[in-house]
Amino acid sequence: MTDRITVLDFGSQYSHLICRRIREFSVYADLVPYDIGMDELQRRNPKGIILSGGPSSVSSPDAPIPDGGIFEMGLPLLGICYGHQLIVDRYGGMVKRANREYGSSLLTIDNDADLLHGIGSSVRAWMSHGDEAEQVPGGFDVVGHTESSKAAAIASQTEPVYGIQFHPEVVHTEQGTRILENFVLHICGARQEWTMDKFVDATVARLSRTEGSVLCGVSGGVDSTVAALLIHRAVGDRLQCVFVDNGLLRMGEANEISCMFADNFGVNFAAIDASDSFMEALRGVSDPEVKRKRIGEVFVRVFTEFAKGNGPFRWLAQGTLYPDVIESGVSKGPAAVIKSHHNVGGLPSWLDLEVLEPLRDLYKDEVREVARLLGVPKEIYMRHPFPGPGLAVRIMGEVTPEKLEIARVAGRIVEDELADAGLYNDTWQAYAAVGDDKAVGVVGDERMYGNVVMIRVVDSTDAMTADWSRLPHGLLEKMSNRITNEIDSVTWVTYAISSKPPATIEPQ
Ligand code: XMP
């Protein structure tokens, strides 16, 4: 079994980041709810436990408190922020409300024996807390302090139990990774076994034991592509991939997907051109949510017809990632490639397929690494996310062939110019949207009433929040000139400078 560190989640926005940092130095880390039962925790058999930060106060009556058994397991424990205060409280110290400390503080190292070994005499550390340890529990030493936090890092004299008030997982903490390495590698003794090449071998071996045929819907996105290729390595021709072309894709995309799967990878691949059905379902519809619903319905119908006519299939493969698994509260860890029997994404129950989710233990950056190992072209695995309903959410009002063409050509110009400027991988999403607004322009000597195109380029790390990209003016000018020159019906180009919130990334 792969060595692992288990992180108990007390609700900090940084909880996932703790796992990701640990995985970066090749140790498997999983995030579990703070109230995980002891049986479940023991089944995971971690080499050490980290208690994350969280917004609560240990003194509040509804403070999240884990099962007391975790303190009796004899395993190394590291509390971060709220986790630190829990350890102080649990071992008999005192936590008090303090002035809120937020941002970077200078941490002075008082004892560099183990947790804070090798990071020098002081480092900048990222603080984000309202409570602090006023009285250190008996049998604990202060191993680091800041000006306002006298017990910013503590260590037990007798057990491998540690608490730190700051966040080692955020990049603003200097040597934060080194502190996590000290805990994970040296104090817990975890082996660095979590590498993507081992993941590929182990997953392919496990998937090879599945019997029956597998159906996998692919979209051209990195997740479904990698899921399909892993399964293909394991089951070969027993995999059938299907790509439903909804007619709402970016320029040339449908063709690229077919070439990649059928020609480059030799996968059983069917492309269904259902664009007419989607356009029919979208006729006269301008409400964004109705558009989404109609698109979803047609997709299910087309997919189901294919499954019915080409089966029987036993499995349905999906590119579900670790953050989705955590959100749905059903994390099972690396041993569980196969999820239970259930219906997904609105597919009708008579499909009665079991679900294969080979990526359910991976973060997006890990999926990209697997993609690289599997020979997926970089243009695919570094491609910006693209919404399921495609260009329909980038077209305000009714989706018409004219507006689709404008969004497609202008979108390609935006992406190409961004890539030429070397900025594509620095931005999160970049596209051109079009609606029903018209504005006057002068073309030749004639006044013309043309379409308005909106360019949107955003920076983000997780799509939850986003900021508009401060692109060089010369680049925006080039995009604008090309769009008006190459698309006759466009007279105006605007650049969207709303952040999310209050706006969203897509306009519909
Ligand atoms: P918003 O517009 O809500 O988008 O800021 C956040 C992220 O989600 C994508 N998005 C969608 N993806 N189906 C999808 O699969 C949808 O209906 C949908 N709407 C938005 C969007 O592209 C961005 O990455």
Side-chain angles (χ1 to χ4, degrees):
M1 193 171 176
T2 313
D3 279 357
R4 80 164 70 183
I5 300 295
T6 292
V7 180
L8 265 54
D9 184 10
F10 291 92
S12 158
Q13 56 174 325
Y14 303 129
S15 298
H16 267 301
L17 215 47
I18 304 171
C19 294
R20 295 178 63 162
R21 289 282 169 269
I22 295 172
R23 289 182 183 204
E24 275 163 21
F25 55 85
S26 305
V27 175
Y28 183 75
D30 61 350
L31 188 67
V32 300
Y34 75 90
D35 55 356
I36 184 173
M38 287 305 290
D39 287 351
E40 179 57 25
L41 193 57
Q42 262 146 3
R43 194 186 63 70
R44 284 162 195 263
N45 195 20
K47 301 290 282 185
I49 294 175
I50 294 180
L51 311 175
S52 86
S56 310
S57 167
V58 285
S59 51
S60 119
D62 51 2
I65 306 289
D67 190 314
I70 65 158
F71 299 99
E72 317 290 329
M73 291 171 86
L75 285 175
L77 280 179
L78 172 65
I80 295 175
C81 199
Y82 176 79
H84 166 69
Q85 291 146 19
L86 262 180
I87 285 175
V88 170
D89 189 60
R90 165 85 195 181
Y91 287 86
M94 204 156 43
V95 174
K96 69 155 194 215
R97 266 224 114 26
N99 288 336
R100 202 172 158 71
E101 191 179 7
Y102 189 84
S104 173
S105 295
L106 192 68
L107 176 78
T108 302
I109 315 303
D110 300 308
N111 180 339
D112 70 351
D114 42 21
L115 186 70
L116 303 181
H117 185 67
I119 63 170
S121 55
S122 63
V123 287
R124 307 261 5 142
W126 187 258
M127 299 284 196
S128 164
H129 65 102
D131 288 0
E132 70 174 350
E134 184 178 50
Q135 194 186 317
V136 175
F140 276 73
D141 291 327
V142 170
V143 296
H145 69 274
T146 66
E147 198 181 327
S148 63
S149 185
K150 299 298 166 219
I154 60 170
S156 162
Q157 294 155 1
T158 52
E159 300 170 69
V161 177
Y162 303 84
I164 50 181
Q165 185 58 73
F166 54 93
H167 290 273
E169 68 277 21
V170 305
V171 288
H172 314 286
T173 295
E174 291 168 353
Q175 305 276 5
T177 300
R178 178 70 193 258
I179 295 169
L180 289 172
E181 279 176 348
N182 284 342
F183 178 71
V184 170
L185 303 180
H186 304 306
I187 295 168
C188 301
R191 287 168 300 182
Q192 291 167 287
E193 300 166 319
W194 180 249
T195 58
M196 288 305 106
D197 51 349
K198 284 195 186 140
F199 169 85
V200 169
D201 292 346
T203 305
V204 170
R206 203 175 299 124
L207 289 167
S208 311
R209 295 196 288 272
T210 54
E211 288 173 0
S213 299
V214 184
L215 177 62
C216 183
V218 293
S219 66
V222 63
D223 304 342
S224 60
T225 301
V226 170
L229 294 182
L230 273 175
I231 294 168
H232 183 244
R233 276 209 180 176
V235 309
D237 278 350
R238 281 191 286 124
L239 170 70
Q240 172 69 57
C241 287
V242 56
F243 162 63
V244 176
D245 181 356
N246 57 15
L248 301 165
L249 298 172
R250 288 166 287 192
M251 189 187 272
E253 203 168 1
N255 198 27
E256 284 162 22
I257 295 168
S258 298
C259 287
M260 177 170 71
F261 277 96
D263 304 342
N264 293 1
F265 290 118
V267 172
N268 280 336
F269 178 83
I272 306 173
D273 182 357
S275 39
D276 288 347
S277 308
F278 283 91
M279 283 308 280
E280 179 61 35
L282 289 171
R283 184 168 304 145
V285 179
S286 47
D287 181 292
E289 286 315 307
V290 179
K291 282 185 197 170
R292 283 190 170 79
K293 190 163 166 281
R294 296 270 171 93
I295 291 168
E297 284 163 359
V298 178
F299 179 84
V300 168
R301 197 174 74 225
V302 173
F303 195 86
T304 305
E305 270 164 24
F306 181 86
K308 212 171 160 186
N310 295 271
F313 296 103
R314 175 164 171 195
W315 303 96
L316 179 69
Q318 298 206 129
T320 315
L321 302 192
Y322 191 61
D324 309 324
V325 175
I326 294 294
E327 261 162 41
S328 64
V330 288
S331 169
K332 287 188 190 156
V337 171
I338 299 164
K339 211 168 90 173
S340 56
H341 195 94
H342 71 152
N343 308 316
V344 238
L347 291 173
S349 57
W350 68 261
L351 262 180
D352 202 26
L353 301 177
E354 292 174 76
V355 177
L356 271 187
E357 293 175 317
L359 310 181
R360 55 182 288 120
D361 283 309
L362 303 190
Y363 285 105
K364 191 82 170 188
D365 46 343
E366 294 172 323
V367 175
R368 292 201 167 112
E369 173 62 8
V370 174
R372 197 184 61 77
L373 291 170
L374 294 175
V376 175
K378 191 170 180 190
E379 305 80 78
I380 299 282
Y381 69 76
M382 291 308 288
R383 198 152 201 193
H384 288 165
F386 188 64
L391 296 176
V393 295
R394 295 176 178 175
I395 289 172
M396 273 82 82
E398 185 181 358
V399 178
T400 62
E402 296 74 30
K403 284 197 264 179
L404 257 178
E405 183 63 11
I406 293 173
R408 218 169 246 147
V409 177
R412 167 54 72 89
I413 292 171
V414 169
E415 285 197 337
D416 283 354
E417 289 300 330
L418 202 56
D420 273 2
L423 293 172
Y424 184 87
N425 290 335
D426 296 337
T427 56
W428 177 263
Q429 275 175 291
Y431 64 80
V434 63
D436 295 315
D437 285 350
K438 299 273 171 106
V440 176
V442 182
V443 178
D445 290 331
E446 304 265 317
R447 279 166 70 82
M448 191 188 120
Y449 206 41
N451 290 96
V452 179
V453 160
M454 176 182 83
I455 298 176
R456 179 115 165 108
V457 185
V458 295
D459 301 331
S460 178
T461 48
D462 53 11
M464 302 296 287
T465 60
D467 199 6
W468 58 283
S469 302
R470 270 57 171 179
L471 297 185
H473 290 175
L475 175 59
L476 288 170
E477 185 180 3
K478 207 164 167 201
M479 290 175 178
S480 167
N481 285 346
R482 277 195 60 195
I483 291 170
T484 46
N485 286 341
E486 294 174 33
I487 312 173
D488 289 344
S489 58
V490 177
T491 43
W492 280 49
V493 176
T494 64
Y495 188 52
I497 55 166
S498 302
S499 58
K500 173 183 179 175
T504 51
I505 293 176
E506 307 291 354
Q508 289 252 292

